[in-house]
Amino acid sequence: MLALSAAVAQDPAGAQEREAPVPVPLPTRQPPPEVARWLEAPVEEAVPGLAGRRRVRFSEPSPLSLLEVHLERSATPAADAAGLDPGAATYDPAAESYQLFVPGGEPPAAGWGVLVWISPTVYGGFSRPGIEAVLERRRTIWVGADGAGNPRALWDRWGLALDAAHHLPRLYPIDPRRVYAAGYSGGGRVASALATLYPEAFAGAFCWFGVDHFHELPLPGRPGSRWPARFPRPPRAALKQVREQSRFVLLTGEHDFNRPQTRAAYDHLRKDGFRHLTLIEVPGANHYHGVRPEWLERGLAALDGGAE
């Protein structure tokens, strides 16, 4: 059974044996002016075909965002759902907002790629200079829900990402082979589950400084200790599809406290027959280095390599 809350803290000095490690929250501080500006921007109705950067809403949920679908995919008995989080998966899509960036110019012949971002914080967009240029070069749309950070119920985070993946093809020509779940820290963990459990919505995942897996993973140097599985093993047909077709990029840093688990997940996925798998280890980087353009470009190139 999958717990709905993401509020399980990790001890950076060593993974816990009975609880799956979830990254400590990113340091809290006043958002920089660029982030504050976008969090306070008016929320617009999503309009087909518009390029540029804006804050939008989507009016309807995805059929995959229904509670009964989450219960099935997460192997959670319906009787347990209310006790876990009675408000999960009951959000009003019209009351949510997304940070959306669409490159200018004509889309590729097969359609735009899409990076559906799951943030560990309240901000679903990006702020570092150079990110837009990477998205332009890779012909990829960025969309991320605001208010969907680590403290929010997990099924809400799943649903908001699925809603975005559902609506973008109704607004732009989209290449379904290039629709990826992506996220940072706790958001990377959510992305790994979404790409594994919802392969009809996501062609892969880009997991930054955090990843979960459907199999227990051994802790290096601690015989008998394991990171627990955080979501169930998919059914046989779905797992075969994910192994053979889905693409995963796992990014960690030399000093990232999630590095051991990221490496363990990569090793298990590789041994389990996942065909399209990339591990990026950034020298000198710790857990809080943020989204860097050069890493984004490298990861998107690896993801897109299986679609070209």
Side-chain angles (χ1 to χ4, degrees):
M1 183 178 68
L2 179 70
L4 291 184
S5 174
V8 179
Q10 170 168 334
D11 172 12
Q16 300 172 6
E17 296 181 20
R18 296 179 180 171
E19 294 289 348
V22 176
V24 296
L26 298 182
T28 57
R29 57 185 184 273
Q30 286 294 109
E34 174 69 8
V35 170
R37 180 170 72 88
W38 283 108
L39 284 172
E40 296 167 2
V43 182
E44 308 172 15
E45 294 295 331
V47 177
L50 283 183
R53 195 166 175 178
R54 52 184 43 83
R55 189 177 180 211
V56 302
R57 68 169 61 89
F58 301 124
S59 57
E60 298 177 356
S62 164
L64 295 175
S65 297
L66 298 177
L67 179 60
E68 52 263 36
V69 180
H70 296 327
L71 294 176
E72 178 187 4
R73 302 291 172 100
S74 63
T76 301
D80 294 345
L84 288 168
D85 195 325
T90 61
Y91 61 87
D92 177 8
E96 306 288 343
S97 68
Y98 292 80
Q99 302 293 331
L100 175 67
F101 172 75
V102 181
E106 293 297 319
W112 298 107
V114 179
L115 201 68
V116 180
W117 186 254
I118 302 105
S119 176
T121 73
V122 297
Y123 178 54
F126 55 86
S127 58
R128 192 179 296 274
I131 298 294
E132 283 192 14
V134 172
L135 297 170
E136 292 276 4
R137 284 193 296 272
R138 299 304 312 177
R139 312 310 287 156
T140 298
I141 293 171
W142 174 298
V143 60
D146 294 324
N150 289 347
R152 188 147 186 190
L154 186 57
W155 285 345
D156 283 7
R157 302 177 85 189
W158 284 13
L160 291 167
L162 288 161
D163 292 349
H166 173 72
H167 278 279
L168 263 293
R170 288 154 176 76
L171 301 169
Y172 303 92
I174 300 298
D175 183 350
R177 302 171 303 164
R178 298 179 57 225
V179 178
Y180 310 120
Y184 194 106
S185 189
R189 296 178 180 277
V190 174
S192 61
L194 285 170
T196 305
L197 299 178
Y198 294 85
E200 68 269 54
F202 299 104
F206 193 170
C207 304
W208 296 66
F209 299 104
V211 61
D212 281 332
H213 192 31
F214 56 79
H215 198 281
E216 291 184 339
L217 299 170
L219 274 73
R222 298 178 64 179
S225 297
R226 295 180 177 273
W227 285 289
R230 292 297 289 178
F231 53 89
R233 186 184 187 89
R236 180 177 298 179
L239 181 57
K240 183 176 186 292
Q241 177 185 345
V242 174
R243 278 182 176 141
E244 295 180 357
Q245 300 177 23
S246 298
R247 300 179 293 283
F248 292 83
V249 172
L250 312 184
L251 185 146
T252 186
E254 181 181 3
H255 305 298
D256 175 23
F257 56 74
N258 281 331
R259 183 187 184 201
Q261 190 191 14
T262 301
R263 291 180 62 92
Y266 172 80
D267 290 342
H268 192 276
L269 288 166
R270 182 171 50 82
K271 292 174 183 176
D272 198 28
F274 279 65
R275 294 186 179 180
H276 307 287
L277 188 63
T278 301
L279 176 66
I280 300 174
E281 295 192 0
V282 182
N286 64 32
H287 191 74
Y288 305 108
H289 265 55
V291 178
R292 305 290 178 105
E294 61 272 26
W295 306 345
L296 177 63
E297 184 134 37
R298 182 176 170 187
L300 285 176
L303 289 168
D304 289 345
E308 294 172 350

